């Protein structure tokens, strides 16, 4: 099967939207999962990224560039391919077999978070149909429900599925993981997470609550960092990057974000890639910024490059330096 993924999700991250995680897997992986029985999926994207993929049992090849003669689907339609491959999604129509399904595309990461548990259940059902063994990691804690494990769940933990603990990832001792949580690849978490999506090489190793949030790759959350996902009034949270409103929504943290100890982040806020935040974050923070004492200051360009290189080196991914340097600093997407 050949298919092209077009469009994007808001707010913008450093990595292309086809690499966003939904239901425990990247969108490109969900395409392959939806057509796994038919052999290799060839997926065309407008831009690519050399980031880990964790899906097992399905073959996929990612090619950069969009040909004119292959079916196209918006990235926000991809999760629905797990329900039907005869899909009318907004202005996009793709018929790869099955009963027609009419839906509207997801347009933001907030939409992904809202639908994340549903998408994860669909992905798990497909994996089970294919005979993929869900638990192939080291489980010493207690699990309930369906949990995809390729990493380690330590003693004195409770993981409530659906949830994903990907390769080299770890649920650390004395942690409560609630449905929808994803530790994609080499990510660590402690204390409590609920419907939290953590991309590769991300660390939340100390106390604090993380709920209904999207945390991009290479993020580090300092001790005591806690996010809000519910207003005191029980009213709707209205993020700046979409016209929709949500009852429960945490923050979106871009790649390489760092939170200081004791940081508190309001629900629905966006912290752009390579930003550092301190204290109470009650507003959006642009990329490559330092937020402290309620003020936003731009990060020094040379310092940003140094921090980027240092971050990548600690994970053995210095090879990604030119990619992120170009996208974030030299020819900034933002």
């Amino acid at each position: 099967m050949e298919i092209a993924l077009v469009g994007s999700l808001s707010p913008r991250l450093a990595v292309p939207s086809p690499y966003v995680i939904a239901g425990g897997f990247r969108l490109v992986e969900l395409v392959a999962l939806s057509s796994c029985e038919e052999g290799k999926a060839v997926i065309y994207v407008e831009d690519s990224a050399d980031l880990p993929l964790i899906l097992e049992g399905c073959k996929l090849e990612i090619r950069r560039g969009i040909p004119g003669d292959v079916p196209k689907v918006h990235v926000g339609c991809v999760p629905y391919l797990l329900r039907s491959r005869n899909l009318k999604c907004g202005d996009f129509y793709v018929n790869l077999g099955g009963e027609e399904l009419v839906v509207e595309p997801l347009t933001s990461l907030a939409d992904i978070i809202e639908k994340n548990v549903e998408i994860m259940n669909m992905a798990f059902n497909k994996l089970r149909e294919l005979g993929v063994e869900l638990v192939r990691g080291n489980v010493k804690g207690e699990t309930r429900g369906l949990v995809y494990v390729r990493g380690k769940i330590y003693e004195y933990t409770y993981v409530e599925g659906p949830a994903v603990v990907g390769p080299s990832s770890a649920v650390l001792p004395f942690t409560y993981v609630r449905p929808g949580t994803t530790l994609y690849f080499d990510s660590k978490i402690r204390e409590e997470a609920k419907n939290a999506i953590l991309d590769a090489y991300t660390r939340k190793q100390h106390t604090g609550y993380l709920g209904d949030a999207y945390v991009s790759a290479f993020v580090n959350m300092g001790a005591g960092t806690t996010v809000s996902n519910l207003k005191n009034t029980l009213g709707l949270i209205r993020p700046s990057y979409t016209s929709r409103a949500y009852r429960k929504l945490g923050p979106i943290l871009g790649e390489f974000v760092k939170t200081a100890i004791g940081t508190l982040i309001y629900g629905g806020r966006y912290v752009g890639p390579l930003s550092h935040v301190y204290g109470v974050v009650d507003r959006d923070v642009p990329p490559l910024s330092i937020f402290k004492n309620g003020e936003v200051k731009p990060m020094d360009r040379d310092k940003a490059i140094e921090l980027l290189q240092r971050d990548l080196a600690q994970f053995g991914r210095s090879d990604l330096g030119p990619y992120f340097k170009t996208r974030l600093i030299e020819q900034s997407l933002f």
Side-chain angles (χ1 to χ4, degrees), residues 11-303:
R12 197 162 191 176
L13 301 175
V15 301
S17 289
Y19 292 82
V20 161
I21 296 167
F25 302 92
R26 300 198 190 279
L27 293 178
V28 289
E29 294 175 301
L30 294 185
V31 173
L33 181 58
S34 72
S35 60
C36 193
E37 301 97 329
E38 298 180 12
K40 183 171 73 173
V42 178
I43 304 163
Y44 297 91
V45 296
E46 294 169 305
D47 200 0
S48 58
D50 184 17
L51 291 172
L53 301 174
I54 69 169
L55 179 66
E56 298 175 2
C58 301
K59 297 179 180 180
L60 72 156
E61 178 184 346
I62 301 171
R63 298 181 183 176
R64 186 173 179 177
I66 307 295
D69 58 348
V70 299
K72 298 174 180 62
V73 65
H74 189 277
V75 288
C77 302
V78 167
Y80 297 112
L81 290 172
L82 295 171
R83 289 173 54 187
S84 174
R85 298 192 308 122
N86 183 355
L87 191 63
K88 190 178 188 307
C89 182
D91 296 330
F92 294 85
Y93 178 69
V94 56
N95 186 359
L96 302 173
E99 184 177 347
E100 183 179 80
L101 175 66
V102 180
V103 292
E104 288 299 316
L106 308 176
T107 62
S108 70
L109 294 176
D111 290 346
I112 294 287
I113 292 167
E114 183 181 52
K115 297 289 187 181
N116 187 50
V117 172
E118 177 185 337
I119 298 168
M120 191 174 289
N121 279 323
M122 290 192 294
F124 283 6
N125 288 339
K126 188 68 175 177
L127 288 169
R128 295 171 78 191
E129 289 175 8
L130 295 169
V132 175
E133 184 180 358
L134 293 186
V135 179
R136 289 181 50 202
N138 187 348
V139 179
K140 295 186 176 180
E142 183 174 351
T143 63
R144 178 181 180 183
L146 297 178
V147 183
Y148 183 92
V149 184
R150 296 298 184 269
K152 183 172 183 178
I153 300 176
Y154 279 83
E155 301 91 338
Y156 313 115
T157 56
Y158 186 85
V159 179
E160 186 177 353
V164 170
V165 182
S168 302
S169 294
V171 179
L172 301 174
F174 309 108
T175 299
Y176 177 25
V177 171
R178 296 164 63 184
T181 297
T182 298
L183 308 181
Y184 186 77
F185 180 92
D186 193 9
S187 293
K188 310 289 192 292
I189 200 163
R190 188 187 299 276
E191 197 160 69
E192 184 178 3
K194 175 248 181 185
N195 193 31
I197 302 169
L198 280 70
D199 204 338
Y201 312 112
T202 284
R203 299 288 186 266
K204 185 208 170 298
Q205 298 188 118
H206 306 286
T207 58
Y209 173 73
L210 181 64
D212 297 291
Y214 193 99
V215 185
S216 302
F218 301 103
V219 170
N220 188 78
M221 306 182 76
T225 296
T226 287
V227 313
S228 170
N229 64 343
L230 181 68
K231 296 181 72 169
N232 287 348
T233 62
L234 304 183
L236 296 177
I237 296 172
R238 302 180 185 278
S240 63
Y241 51 82
T242 176
S243 60
R244 291 198 58 215
Y246 308 82
R247 183 172 179 270
K248 287 193 174 183
L249 180 64
I252 308 296
L253 305 184
E255 294 85 356
F256 304 101
V257 163
K258 302 291 181 285
T259 72
I261 59 170
T263 298
L264 306 175
I265 308 177
Y266 278 32
R269 297 301 184 259
Y270 164 68
V271 181
L274 249 178
S275 288
H276 291 191
V277 295
Y278 302 77
V280 178
V281 182
D282 59 356
R283 66 201 71 180
D284 290 351
V285 178
L288 281 81
S289 301
I290 298 174
F291 179 85
K292 193 173 185 179
N293 298 324
E295 296 183 358
V296 176
K297 296 181 179 180
M299 184 177 291
D300 177 79
R301 182 182 184 277
D302 291 338
K303 188 66 174 179

